[in-house]
Amino acid sequence: MSLRDQILNAEDVESEIVVVDGWGGARVEVRSMSTAMREKLSQFAGEGDTESWTAAVVIATCYDPETGEQLFTKDDVAAINSKNGKNVQALADAGLRLSGMTEEAKKEAGKASSSTPDAGSSSS
């Protein structure tokens, strides 16, 4: 298998279950975003609608762990924004972390991609 095929065929979606105590112990599957979804969120943020940013992250990353279906749609922004911010933020934080969009995740990614050549490589 070529490196290209290996990369394009890799199952690289990360997920975790987040238990939201404030919602009666609701179990929500939070998944990492695709590159396309990250770009859509960046465009969304660029439009200046910061009131809906957290809700948009929740919509993009939250799934029903029983069915695998997305929990919310863009029609749910106002309803999500009316919920307790602590509960909504817990889901958004997990989605951002799994998608490599937190400062901590960016720092970890930087450690993994060191610019120091391997001891066995040569450059002249």
Side-chain angles (χ1 to χ4, degrees):
M1 176 184 296
S2 72
L3 177 57
R4 177 186 176 277
D5 290 342
Q6 177 185 348
I7 292 168
L8 295 178
N9 291 315
E11 294 293 330
D12 63 353
V13 174
E14 296 181 37
S15 70
E16 68 182 46
I17 300 295
V18 175
V19 177
V20 185
D21 293 332
W23 295 338
R27 295 173 48 84
V28 177
E29 180 184 4
V30 180
R31 297 181 189 170
S32 58
M33 286 181 254
S34 66
T35 301
M37 182 54 72
R38 285 178 57 160
E39 292 300 320
K40 284 182 186 178
L41 281 176
S42 295
Q43 290 172 358
F44 185 79
E47 294 171 4
D49 188 359
T50 56
E51 288 182 21
S52 300
W53 169 256
T54 302
V57 172
V58 169
I59 291 165
T61 61
C62 291
Y63 294 79
D64 183 326
E66 300 294 320
T67 66
E69 294 181 18
Q70 203 160 9
L71 280 178
F72 306 108
T73 70
K74 64 182 179 178
D75 295 333
D76 296 317
V77 169
I80 292 168
N81 282 339
S82 74
K83 303 307 294 173
N84 182 312
K86 176 183 170 184
N87 299 325
V88 173
Q89 193 65 52
L91 296 173
D93 287 348
L96 291 170
R97 181 177 36 76
L98 289 169
S99 301
M101 296 177 71
T102 62
E103 287 304 315
E104 184 177 311
K106 290 175 187 175
K107 288 177 187 174
E108 285 300 313
K111 290 178 186 175
S113 60
S114 173
S115 61
T116 307
D118 291 338
S121 69
S122 64
S123 57
S124 300

